[in-house]
């Protein structure tokens, strides 16, 4: 296993022997990507990193025992005990 760190030019250099490799790139906020690579390469290899899907979790609580909702989205009458 070899690890490359991206420099200020957004480029990484990894020195490997000739052969077949699976190159996996990952970064926070981006989708993990894997490529099959056969070395030696005749040109630099560029990898486009796609944004990962955003997942937000919102916890709502209230002291009144009733949490109102947006009536524009839900037409049912609000019930609070």
């Amino acid at each position: 296993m070899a690890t490359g760190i991206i420099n200020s030019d957004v480029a990484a250099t990894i020195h490997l022997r000739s052969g077949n490799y699976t190159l996996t790139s990952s970064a926070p906020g981006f989708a993990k990507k894997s490529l099959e690579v056969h070395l030696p390469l005749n040109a630099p290899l560029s990898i486009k990193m796609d944004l990962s899907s955003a997942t937000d979790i919102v916890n709502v609580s209230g002291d009144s025992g009733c949490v109102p909702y947006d009536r524009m989205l839900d037409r049912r009458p609000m019930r609070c005990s």
Side-chain angles (χ1 to χ4, degrees):
M1 180 171 171
T3 302
I5 304 297
I6 295 175
N7 63 22
S8 61
D9 295 328
V10 191
T13 301
I14 304 170
H15 300 282
L16 300 169
R17 294 184 178 147
S18 295
N20 296 318
Y21 295 89
T22 301
L23 176 66
T24 302
S25 59
S26 63
F30 291 90
K32 189 174 184 180
K33 191 165 203 171
S34 294
L35 298 170
E36 297 298 320
V37 179
H38 177 73
L39 299 179
L41 291 175
N42 295 327
L45 177 66
S46 295
I47 301 172
K48 179 184 175 192
M49 299 290 291
D50 298 319
L51 292 175
S52 63
S53 60
T55 304
D56 291 329
I57 298 173
V58 178
N59 295 315
V60 179
S61 63
D63 294 332
S64 68
C66 178
V67 178
Y69 56 87
D70 186 347
R71 288 184 179 234
M72 296 299 290
L73 298 176
D74 190 341
R75 301 279 183 204
R76 293 176 294 158
M78 183 172 28
R79 296 182 183 174
C80 294
S81 299

